[in-house]
């Protein structure tokens, strides 16, 4: 196996460190930052002294913590286009490098989208690309500043200023036609790192095993960061198995530190394999010893063998594994892209608890924390670069794409979870440039494919939705949105089989549909009876629009959770019977912001997630669990459906999603009987009952039993709701009431009612919240309960107000209705 290490620059000037490693020690620079969301005239404005009462113009900086995204709220503000432009961050650092002739490094885990770094007034680096990691050696700039006459003013600290810029630029990827926000800010962790005079720059660990799991091979190579040209070091290598037992030990004297240096080549008989059900990780420890320093480096690796069978399933360690997947954007309520480590870990754990064993990271290289969690939890990965929509730009554009692919592979290739490198997404989508040349796109796709295999020939390449390039890469995903953008969901298996036969290796990523959280339907198929059922299921130009074209669920459906649960249920049922299927990945796990969808029920939010933007699960989360999760679970449909409706004595469908072998359902304390689970008995795997409901209050309780070994585990779930038989007319007014209140906050619910004060339970009218006074409305969260403008869900909407110890007045209005006011004290 031949390897090449490509020294491709990161558009970094002066002092830069290319490539990336798990640094032995790092200090997260989270506190004591000042932020300015605008540009300044020059770097002097960031560092010059200001005197109180001076007549000069003083920019108003505010305190922030890192990570920080300056589109944290405006990305989903219903009344604004999100800010795309420059912004500044500044702080002062106390530098205390313990190493003789050591190097001081700033390590960026990600900043968007163009970044300039200054030590006092000296620009030390520029970087283009919002998603790859990069590092800056500030040693010489720090030394020069400390010798300058200006250093005294900063009392031994180093002034650091960073300019981020996410301005629109057609010659930069990703395209602004992408269905996600191109965020700005230092939205991943920024670290201060001290390194000795010679250190490891890249540590490459290749772990492989035959498909029977009998013989493992381990190869380790390094590149050194060695600005002083030190000639020799000693390396000690130890490999520990998942139990902590030492299985490899070696010492080597290195006398040539240039280029790529071999450290270890070893064989391990019967290695403990990595698998989603048992993500066993080995630990590789490398100690670099010089005459005056000892530095420890560590990598976690796994032994696994995978294969995409031609026109057949996916094999892991020689056995079929159905890839049960989802997608992730780096996006969260109230913080934009600036998720903390705790948030990322919680999100990945929720995916695993749902039963996920595969994820596509859309549509860019993501945080190292995500990959670490995938390794640890057992989630296989498709990771891709942000060549997404718009066509193909010029040399600058193409060099960035190649650079980002190189960085992604170099920085993440040690992760055993990764099996696929994505070259792009929807590259058949034109309009960034006057020219849209398919042959040029094909040629560039081939360039990326070849580059990927040069850098790492142990993984496969892949793309989604670019049919005229599907023969170039290794694994292809066509566009199949059965029951949403085209056709009906019952066409899913037939269309997938047809598409599978067109390529050697098929993997279906992106399927599903939007659901407005808390909106439910007694009949989820209202309005979509005219959808054409011609066997097509792809997404075409204009299908995502809410206007025009043929009838389609995405335009004419109600976007209810009820419908999406049906669609998901059908897909999962069918996937169990498709013995040739490699797998599929639902789009996406969590709702996320997008500038392309201002008229969605929650404006500027892609609402296809199975959890809301703040981690609140929708009902569909539990449909996945019922098929994929191993831990016994049970969930009665309708926890966020407080009022059902229908005629008196009308039989209503009551559904339970569970992975238990049998479930008993109780209505108002009376058993409706026991049902056996059968995944092919659609819907709800046979766990459904028909019964009339009481007018007014009703309660349901479900008891599920599942065998685990010799014991039986029992799980329960309960839900209460009202049943309304009164018929309603047109919306006539808004009723507003407090539904929860403490000394600090109040939750307010607005309900649309007719002239007889009867709830309009099918109303989708917009509701607008406003607040004046001392309080603060929790808004611009991009959620069903954290947005000041949104469509009603079953005629209602709610929002939270922080009182802040004062008085406020909440206004609530809906088109054509009288505005209502509520005093909050």
């Amino acid at each position: 196996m031949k390897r090449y290490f490509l020294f491709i620059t990161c558009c970094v000037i002066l002092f830069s460190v290319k490539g990336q490693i798990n640094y032995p020690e790092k200090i997260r620079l989270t506190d004591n930052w000042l932020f300015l969301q605008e540009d300044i005239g020059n770097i002097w404005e960031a560092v010059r002294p200001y005197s109180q009462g001076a007549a000069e113009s003083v920019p108003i900086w505010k305190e922030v913590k890192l990570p920080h995204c300056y589109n944290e709220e405006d990305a989903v503000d219903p009344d604004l286009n999100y800010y795309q432009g420059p912004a500044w961050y500044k702080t002062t650092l106390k530098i205390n490098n313990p190493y003789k002739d050591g190097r001081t490094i700033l390590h960026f885990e990600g900043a968007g989208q163009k970044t300039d770094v200054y030590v006092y007034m000296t620009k030390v680096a520029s970087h283009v690309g919002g998603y790859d990691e990069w590092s800056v050696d500030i040693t010489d700039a720090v030394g020069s500043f400390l010798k300058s006459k200006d250093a005294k003013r900063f009392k031994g600290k180093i002034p650091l200023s960073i300019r981020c810029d996410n301005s629109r630029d057609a010659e930069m990827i990703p395209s602004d036609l992408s269905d996600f926000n191109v965020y700005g800010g230092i939205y991943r962790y920024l670290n201060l790192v001290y390194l000795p005079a010679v250190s490891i720059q890249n540590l490459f660990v290749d772990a492989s095993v035959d498909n029977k799991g009998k013989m493992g091979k381990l190869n380790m190579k390094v590149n050194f960061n060695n600005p002083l040209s030190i000639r020799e070091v000693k390396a000690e290598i130890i490999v520990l198995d998942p139990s902590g037992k030492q299985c490899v030990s070696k010492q080597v004297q290195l006398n040539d530190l240039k280029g790529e240096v071999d450290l270890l080549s070893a064989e391990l008989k019967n290695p403990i394999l990595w698998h989603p059900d048992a993500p066993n990780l080995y630990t590789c420890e490398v100690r670099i010893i010089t005459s005056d320093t000892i530095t420890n480096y560590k990598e976690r690796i796994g032994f696994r063998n995978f294969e995409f069978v031609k026109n057949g399933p996916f094999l892991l360690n020689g056995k079929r594994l159905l890839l049960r997947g989802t997608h992730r954007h780096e996006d969260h309520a109230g913080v934009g892209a600036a998720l903390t480590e705790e948030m990322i870990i919680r999100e990945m754990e929720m995916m695993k608890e749902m039963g996920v064993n595969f994820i596509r990271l859309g549509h860019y290289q993501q945080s190292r924390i995500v990959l670490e969690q995938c390794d640890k939890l057992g989630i296989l990965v498709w990771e891709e670069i942000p060549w997404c929509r718009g066509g193909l730009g010029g040399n600058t554009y193409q060099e960035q794409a190649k650079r980002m692919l190189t960085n992604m592979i170099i920085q993440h290739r040690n992760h055993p979870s990764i099996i696929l490198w994505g070259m792009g997404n929807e590259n058949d989508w034109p309009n960034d440039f006057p020219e849209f040349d398919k042959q040029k796109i094909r040629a560039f796709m081939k360039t990326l494919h070849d580059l990927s295999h040069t850098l790492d020939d142990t993984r496969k390449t892949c793309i989604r939705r670019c049919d005229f390039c599907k023969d170039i890469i290794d694994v292809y995903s066509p566009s199949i949105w059965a029951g949403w953008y085209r056709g009906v969901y019952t066409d899913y298996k037939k269309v997938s089989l047809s598409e599978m036969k067109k390529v050697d290796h098929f993997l279906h990523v992106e399927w599903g549909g939007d659901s407005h959280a808390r909106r439910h339907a007694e009949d989820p198929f209202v309005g979509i009876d005219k959808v054409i059922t011609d066997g097509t299921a792809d997404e075409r130009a204009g299908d995502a629009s809410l206007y025009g074209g043929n009838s389609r669920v995405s335009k004419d459906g109600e976007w209810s959770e009820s419908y999406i649960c049906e669609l998901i249920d059908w897909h999962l049922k069918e996937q169990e019977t498709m013995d040739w299927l490699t797998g599929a990945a639902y789009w996406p796990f969590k709702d996320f912001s997008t500038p392309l969808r201002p008229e969605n029920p929650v404006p500027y939010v892609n609402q296809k997630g199975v959890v809301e933007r703040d981690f609140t699960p929708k009902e569909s989360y539990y449909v996945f669990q019922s098929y994929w999760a191993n831990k016994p679970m049970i969930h009665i449909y309708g926890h966020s459906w407080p009022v059902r409706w229908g005629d008196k004595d009308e039989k209503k469908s009551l559904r339970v999603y569970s992975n238990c072998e049998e479930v008993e359902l109780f209505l108002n304390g009376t058993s409706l009987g026991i049902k056996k689970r059968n995944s092919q008995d659609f819907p709800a795997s046979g766990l459904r009952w028909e019964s009339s409901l009481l007018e007014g209050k009703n309660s349901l309780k479900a008891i599920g039993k599942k065998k685990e070994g010799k014991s039986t585990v029992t799980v329960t779930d309960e839900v209460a709701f009202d049943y309304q038989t009164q018929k309603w007319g047109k919306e006539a007014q808004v009723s507003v009431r407090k539904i929860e209140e403490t000394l600090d906050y109040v939750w307010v619910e607005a309900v649309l009612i007719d002239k007889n004060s009867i709830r309009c339970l099918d109303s989708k009218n917009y509701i607008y919240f406003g607040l004046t006074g001392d309080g603060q409305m929790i808004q611009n969260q991009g959620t069903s309960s954290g947005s000041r403008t949104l469509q009603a869900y079953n005629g209602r909407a709610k929002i939270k107000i922080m009182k802040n110890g004062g008085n406020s007045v909440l206004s609530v209005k809906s088109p054509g209705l009288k505005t209502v006011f509520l005093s909050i004290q």
Side-chain angles (χ1 to χ4, degrees):
M1 180 171 57
K2 197 171 184 180
R3 294 274 184 212
Y4 298 90
F5 177 70
L6 303 185
F7 288 90
I8 298 181
T9 63
C10 297
C11 287
V12 181
I13 63 172
L14 298 179
F15 313 109
S16 67
V17 179
K18 296 172 282 292
Q20 206 50 66
I21 187 170
N22 286 326
Y23 287 115
E25 295 180 13
K26 57 187 179 183
I27 303 166
R28 281 180 172 169
L29 302 176
T30 57
D31 298 320
N32 304 314
W33 287 90
L34 293 175
F35 170 71
L36 179 68
Q37 189 170 300
E38 61 183 79
D39 215 346
I40 57 179
N42 56 23
I43 184 59
W44 174 240
E45 289 193 24
V47 296
R48 71 186 180 189
Y50 290 97
S51 57
Q52 288 186 344
E56 60 202 13
S57 174
V58 181
I60 299 175
W61 299 70
K62 70 174 184 179
E63 295 182 0
V64 298
K65 293 186 68 171
L66 299 187
H68 177 262
C69 175
Y70 53 78
N71 305 114
E72 55 192 353
E73 289 197 7
D74 71 0
V76 291
D77 189 314
D79 303 320
L80 298 173
N81 291 323
Y82 79 106
Y83 178 75
Q84 289 187 272
W88 285 80
Y89 298 84
K90 67 177 182 179
T91 191
T92 55
L93 301 178
K94 182 66 176 178
I95 303 297
N96 186 22
N97 195 319
Y99 298 108
K100 177 185 177 182
D101 298 323
R103 312 304 295 179
T104 300
I105 306 295
L106 290 176
H107 168 222
F108 289 79
E109 295 184 20
Q113 294 288 316
K114 300 176 182 177
T115 309
D116 299 322
V117 183
Y118 295 83
V119 170
Y120 192 45
M121 293 178 60
T122 300
K123 182 188 282 191
V124 294
S126 293
H127 180 82
V128 177
Y131 311 103
D132 44 357
E133 298 187 18
W134 51 287
S135 296
V136 185
D137 189 332
I138 62 172
T139 309
D140 295 343
V142 167
S144 297
F145 171 74
L146 291 175
K147 295 175 183 177
S148 71
K149 60 181 178 60
D150 298 317
K152 185 177 180 180
R153 175 160 62 92
F154 290 89
K155 300 179 182 180
K157 292 188 176 182
I158 306 301
L160 174 66
S161 303
I162 300 171
R163 181 183 189 268
C164 292
D165 188 0
N166 67 333
S167 297
R168 298 175 73 91
D169 183 351
E171 285 293 335
M172 181 183 72
I173 60 172
S175 167
D176 282 292
L177 294 174
S178 299
D179 195 6
F180 57 91
N181 291 86
V182 183
Y183 281 129
I186 308 175
Y187 45 61
R188 295 187 195 154
Y189 289 105
L190 171 59
N191 307 298
L192 178 65
V193 180
Y194 298 129
L195 295 176
V198 60
S199 60
I200 293 179
Q201 179 171 304
N202 295 293
L203 174 59
F204 298 134
V205 186
D206 289 319
S208 62
V209 65
D210 63 276
N211 60 10
K212 295 182 179 180
K214 299 298 184 182
M215 181 60 67
K217 295 182 178 180
L218 186 63
N219 291 285
M220 299 176 64
K221 299 174 184 289
V222 293
N223 288 101
F224 285 97
N225 182 37
N226 186 20
L228 299 183
S229 299
I230 293 173
R231 294 186 177 182
E232 60 181 41
V233 299
K234 185 168 74 171
E236 295 181 351
I237 303 103
I238 296 174
V239 180
L240 306 176
D241 73 11
S243 69
K245 180 181 178 181
Q246 181 176 302
C247 54
V248 176
S249 178
K250 182 181 180 181
Q251 294 186 3
V252 59
Q253 187 72 32
L254 303 176
N255 300 313
D256 183 1
L257 307 187
K258 296 178 182 179
E260 196 168 84
V261 179
D262 291 324
L263 273 190
L264 176 72
S265 181
E267 292 187 345
L268 282 75
K269 292 183 178 180
N270 300 312
I272 303 170
L273 301 181
W274 186 97
H275 188 280
D277 294 336
N280 296 301
L281 294 171
Y282 283 70
T283 302
C284 299
E285 298 180 357
V286 179
R287 179 178 297 177
I288 300 298
I289 304 170
T290 67
S291 59
D292 54 4
T293 62
I294 299 176
T295 315
N296 293 300
Y297 302 85
K298 185 181 293 185
E299 285 284 344
R300 304 294 296 277
I301 56 120
F303 289 90
R304 83 285 183 274
N305 178 287
F306 73 89
E307 178 187 359
F308 286 87
V309 177
K310 183 176 180 180
N311 298 127
F314 174 79
L315 305 182
L316 184 67
N317 302 329
K319 297 180 180 179
R320 189 199 178 196
L321 178 71
L322 179 64
L323 296 175
R324 296 169 167 171
T326 189
H327 295 75
R328 179 182 190 270
H329 265 298
E330 289 197 333
D331 183 82
H332 192 77
V335 299
L339 282 80
T340 63
E341 182 171 18
E342 292 75 19
M343 289 177 178
I344 294 172
I345 290 173
R346 179 59 190 138
E347 184 172 356
M348 302 310 294
E349 287 177 342
M350 286 183 71
M351 291 182 194
K352 190 66 178 180
E353 290 163 7
M354 193 176 85
V356 164
N357 65 19
F358 171 72
I359 188 171
R360 176 179 175 226
L361 302 178
H363 296 290
Y364 38 78
Q365 178 178 333
Q366 296 195 7
S367 167
R368 59 168 48 212
I369 301 168
V370 173
L371 274 299
E372 289 165 358
Q373 290 302 305
C374 289
D375 292 341
K376 176 183 176 182
L377 296 172
I379 301 176
L380 291 155
V381 176
W382 162 335
E383 187 173 34
E384 66 192 31
I385 61 170
W387 182 25
C388 180
R389 296 187 177 179
L392 179 65
N395 290 336
T396 299
Y397 182 105
Q398 293 177 36
E399 285 304 311
Q400 183 196 351
K402 290 188 286 186
R403 185 172 63 247
M404 295 188 83
L405 178 61
T406 300
N407 289 344
M408 180 176 72
I409 293 175
I410 288 175
Q411 292 163 15
H412 285 173
R413 71 179 222 179
N414 290 349
H415 292 282
S417 54
I418 296 178
I419 56 173
L420 292 163
W421 297 123
M423 307 295 100
N425 174 68
E426 297 179 355
N427 302 107
D428 59 353
W429 197 300
N431 286 337
D432 269 344
F433 310 100
E435 176 187 71
F436 186 77
D437 190 318
K438 293 183 179 181
Q439 291 307 311
K440 289 182 179 179
I441 292 173
R442 280 181 56 82
F444 189 61
M445 189 70 73
K446 181 65 162 59
T447 296
L448 295 179
H449 168 82
D450 291 344
L451 175 59
S452 177
H453 278 290
T454 298
L455 293 164
D456 176 16
D457 59 4
T458 69
R459 271 90 171 192
K460 301 299 183 182
T461 64
C462 56
I463 58 171
R464 179 197 166 270
R465 213 198 92 168
C466 187
D467 267 6
F468 59 81
C469 287
K470 65 186 178 185
D471 61 315
I472 295 173
I473 41 73
D474 300 321
V475 178
Y476 182 65
S477 174
S479 179
I480 304 174
W481 286 90
W484 191 246
Y485 290 125
R486 293 267 159 175
V488 293
Y489 58 66
T490 52
D491 288 334
Y492 166 65
K493 182 192 286 189
K494 177 177 63 178
V495 173
S496 296
L497 180 60
S498 175
E499 292 295 332
M500 180 273 290
K501 293 178 179 179
K502 298 176 183 178
V503 293
D504 286 346
H505 303 118
F506 167 92
L507 174 60
H508 180 208
V509 297
E510 293 198 24
W511 62 275
D514 290 89
S515 62
H516 188 28
R518 306 174 195 271
R519 178 182 287 171
H520 305 275
E522 295 289 354
D523 180 359
F525 300 97
V526 169
I528 58 175
D529 56 307
K530 296 181 180 179
V531 170
I532 297 174
T533 57
D534 60 359
T536 61
D538 58 323
E539 177 194 5
R540 303 175 196 173
D543 281 354
S545 171
L546 300 180
Y547 306 98
N550 294 329
S551 179
R552 53 190 181 276
V553 181
S554 59
K555 175 175 70 76
D556 303 306
E558 292 191 323
W559 288 38
S560 69
E561 293 198 57
S562 311
Y563 176 79
I564 288 304
C565 284
E566 293 252 346
L567 180 148
I568 291 170
D569 195 355
W570 182 269
H571 277 70
L572 298 182
K573 172 189 82 76
E574 294 290 77
Q575 287 169 15
E576 290 192 346
T577 69
M578 299 157 71
D579 58 4
W580 49 266
L581 182 64
T582 54
Y586 182 88
W587 176 265
F589 179 71
K590 185 169 67 173
D591 291 349
F592 63 93
S593 68
T594 168
L596 304 187
R597 299 173 186 259
E599 297 178 320
N600 276 5
V602 177
Y604 294 110
V605 176
N606 188 314
Q607 295 177 248
K608 294 183 178 69
V610 297
V611 302
E612 291 198 75
R613 209 166 166 250
D614 62 355
F615 292 151
T616 301
K618 301 181 187 180
E619 298 290 322
S620 52
Y621 178 87
Y622 303 100
V623 182
F624 278 102
Q625 270 198 333
S626 71
Y627 280 89
W628 290 357
N630 292 320
K631 183 180 179 180
M633 59 78 56
I634 193 167
H635 181 84
I636 301 169
Y637 179 88
H639 277 247
S640 59
W641 196 3
V643 183
R644 296 193 62 170
W645 65 89
D647 296 329
K648 185 178 180 180
D649 298 325
E650 179 185 354
K651 292 292 182 68
K652 309 300 292 187
S653 177
L654 307 172
R655 296 183 185 181
V656 175
Y657 294 104
S658 178
N659 58 3
C660 294
E661 285 94 356
E662 64 177 40
V663 172
E664 185 173 11
L665 185 66
F666 294 83
L667 173 62
N668 301 321
T670 301
S671 176
L672 299 181
I674 296 174
K675 301 273 188 177
K676 300 288 187 180
R677 185 181 189 275
N678 174 7
S679 67
Q680 296 306 299
D681 185 358
F682 177 84
S685 299
L687 302 178
R688 59 187 186 274
W689 292 257
E690 299 287 327
S691 178
S692 58
L693 303 172
L694 295 178
E695 293 184 75
K697 300 293 183 183
N698 289 266
S699 65
L700 289 172
K701 181 177 182 179
I703 301 176
K705 295 183 178 181
K706 185 177 182 181
K707 292 182 180 178
E708 288 196 338
K710 295 182 179 179
S711 61
T712 298
V713 177
T714 300
V715 290
T716 64
D717 188 36
E718 298 183 51
V719 66
F721 58 92
D722 287 340
Y723 184 61
Q724 177 177 314
T725 59
Q726 294 171 298
K727 308 304 178 187
W728 58 88
K730 184 179 179 181
E731 301 92 338
Q733 56 184 312
V734 183
S735 173
V736 181
R737 66 188 182 102
K738 299 175 183 177
I739 57 175
E740 181 183 340
E741 186 170 14
T742 70
L743 291 174
D744 298 320
Y745 67 84
V746 59
W747 276 100
V748 176
E749 183 180 64
V751 179
L752 295 164
I753 57 179
D754 70 6
K755 64 181 181 180
N756 297 316
S757 298
I758 300 173
R759 287 173 174 259
C760 302
L761 294 174
D762 65 348
S763 178
K764 296 184 288 185
N765 279 13
Y766 273 95
I767 292 177
Y768 305 93
F769 295 103
L771 188 72
T772 185
D774 302 309
Q776 178 185 6
M777 188 160 55
I778 305 302
Q779 59 180 329
N780 296 335
Q781 302 297 295
T783 65
S784 64
S785 59
S787 302
R788 72 174 182 272
T789 298
L790 75 164
Q791 283 184 11
Y793 27 87
N794 300 125
R796 69 186 181 102
K798 68 176 187 175
I799 201 158
K800 186 178 184 180
I801 293 99
M802 306 303 298
K803 295 181 179 179
N804 295 336
N807 299 324
S808 304
V809 175
L810 177 73
S811 64
V812 185
K813 62 180 181 178
S814 187
L817 305 182
K818 184 179 179 180
T819 301
V820 178
F821 299 93
L822 180 68
S823 177
I824 297 172
Q825 298 178 342

